[in-house]
Amino acid sequence: MRPVMLLAVGHACVDIYQGAVAALVPFFVLERSYTYAAVSGIVLAASLLSSVAQPLFGMLTDRWSLPWLLPVSTLLGGTGIALSGLAQSYSWTVFFVALSGIGVAAYHPESARLARIASRGSHTAMGWFSLGGNVGFALAPLLVAALGLSPFLVLPALVGSVLCLPVLRLRGSAGRVAPSGLDDPASFVRLSVAVVCRSITFIGLSTFIALYAQQRGFGGFGGAVALFVLYLGGAVGTVLGGRLANRWGRVAVVRWSYLVSVVAVAGVVFVPGWLFYVFVALTSMGLYVPFSLQVTLGQDYLPGRVGTAGGITLGLTVSVGGLASPVVGGIADAVSLQVALMPLIVMPGVAWWVLRSLREPRL
């Protein structure tokens, strides 16, 4: 269990930098006067490269064991975000954020492979590994609020890269996990569509929810709290997902979570007053209950390509949604932020529809 916990803490250190991109959006808007569309472009820069690179890194880790990627990618992710705060031009800001996205992309497939080896396929242990990433997301807005556009944002990356080292010594030569069944690409594709829908919803909300809270009268601190709740609720959802799956099965739990998320996201967009934060928490749990379950489902649907499966279900879950952020930002600039967030209500419903007849993997 110790290697899994070290990987979980390292995962937290890396995913701080995914959460930091959204947490830096208010700074870029207020201090650099970027438009909604401009900050959406920054989110897109991190997401686009991460989305393209992550499956490629997954294919590489399916062919070769590359444990050295963990410390190197962790440092790259942290350095990119730290330098984006120092860059004065928009172009350099986009470049450094994109560099961080590549680092994050390189980290997830190999870390998911090592976590599968260390956990021996345990859904609960993989839930703890995924929980580390959720905690990193939750800490990101607090860290950014404390440090702002500061080079000290690189500190979690330094910690995470050091924590990787004992795991590499323990598991770096462990070899590959032999496939335990036949690949089921059709089911994996359907699962991946749901992953994309979830990502569009989550990244869209995380990019703009702090600004939306400010527009609704909660102030700058209220915006940071909204983003913190959105991320922290994911930690609860991830742990809850593993326990629910042990009782009712992974696919059933994932389907029902997406149905709950439709109502929760609608509450975030439309319900006034302090209940806004209640629906933010429900949205976070609804979108994160499937998080670790989708990782293990993907690996079981593609047992012969667990690196690729991990890169898509773990990495793209939190990156590909950034491709839609410029659309949301453009609508917000043209009409209003509330109108721009309305399409996000539909996305979990699409995920449910795609998964409505999905079956558990044949093991």
Side-chain angles (χ1 to χ4, degrees):
M1 192 66 177
R2 181 173 175 268
V4 174
M5 297 311 297
L6 287 174
L7 284 166
V9 177
H11 193 189
C13 293
V14 170
D15 276 8
I16 281 176
Y17 299 109
Q18 295 206 84
V21 176
L24 286 170
V25 163
F27 286 89
F28 291 140
V29 171
L30 298 176
E31 296 186 17
R32 298 185 183 177
S33 300
Y34 292 163
T35 65
Y36 289 142
V39 294
S40 297
I42 294 173
V43 176
L44 174 65
S47 299
L48 180 60
L49 282 177
S50 185
S51 299
V52 172
Q54 226 145 175
L56 298 178
F57 281 112
M59 293 176 197
L60 289 175
T61 60
D62 282 333
R63 295 194 62 181
W64 300 288
S65 178
L66 304 173
W68 56 266
L69 271 179
L70 269 63
V72 171
S73 60
T74 300
L75 289 173
L76 189 61
T79 301
I81 290 297
L83 292 177
S84 73
L86 300 179
Q88 293 303 308
S89 73
Y90 180 75
S91 298
W92 278 110
T93 300
V94 170
F95 173 79
F96 286 126
V97 169
L99 191 69
S100 176
I102 293 175
V104 170
Y107 176 85
H108 282 100
E110 181 67 4
S111 66
R113 185 187 72 83
L114 290 176
R116 184 178 175 90
I117 294 172
S119 68
R120 296 180 175 87
S122 166
H123 304 325
T124 302
M126 284 297 290
W128 284 109
F129 169 68
S130 299
L131 176 63
N134 305 153
V135 172
F137 261 102
L139 292 176
L142 302 182
L143 187 68
V144 170
L147 298 178
L149 303 175
S150 166
F152 290 108
L153 287 172
V154 77
L155 291 177
L158 297 176
V159 174
S161 62
V162 172
L163 289 175
C164 290
L165 300 180
V167 178
L168 305 190
R169 289 198 296 268
L170 288 169
R171 299 292 179 179
S173 60
R176 318 213 66 77
V177 177
S180 56
L182 296 176
D183 286 351
D184 184 357
S187 295
F188 183 78
V189 168
R190 293 169 65 187
L191 180 69
S192 299
V193 172
V195 166
V196 169
C197 292
R198 178 212 175 272
S199 183
I200 290 172
T201 305
F202 184 78
I203 299 299
L205 286 173
S206 64
T207 301
F208 294 106
I209 198 166
L211 293 170
Y212 190 53
Q214 292 178 37
Q215 287 186 4
R216 301 185 69 171
F218 293 109
F221 179 75
V225 170
L227 190 59
F228 175 70
V229 171
L230 182 68
Y231 290 164
L232 186 63
V236 178
T238 300
V239 174
L240 183 63
R243 296 186 177 183
L244 293 175
N246 287 334
R247 182 168 184 178
W248 286 294
R250 291 173 291 176
V251 173
V253 171
V254 169
R255 280 199 298 256
W256 280 104
S257 297
Y258 282 131
L259 276 182
V260 170
S261 297
V262 173
V263 177
V265 176
V268 170
V269 176
F270 293 115
V271 174
W274 62 268
L275 286 174
F276 167 77
Y277 289 101
V278 174
F279 281 104
V280 171
L282 289 175
T283 296
S284 179
M285 288 188 285
L287 293 176
Y288 264 106
V289 162
F291 191 82
S292 65
L293 305 181
Q294 289 174 159
V295 176
T296 59
L297 278 170
Q299 291 177 331
D300 288 342
Y301 285 133
L302 295 183
R305 291 174 283 175
V306 295
T308 301
I312 292 174
T313 55
L314 180 61
L316 294 191
T317 295
V318 288
S319 66
V320 74
L323 304 180
S325 290
V327 177
V328 178
I331 296 173
D333 284 331
V335 187
S336 72
L337 190 51
Q338 185 181 54
V339 171
L341 294 177
M342 288 180 187
L344 303 183
I345 300 170
V346 179
M347 289 293 103
V350 175
W352 170 84
W353 185 84
V354 170
L355 300 178
R356 70 193 188 285
S357 59
L358 190 70
R359 297 289 181 261
E360 289 283 342
R362 299 185 298 272
L363 301 178

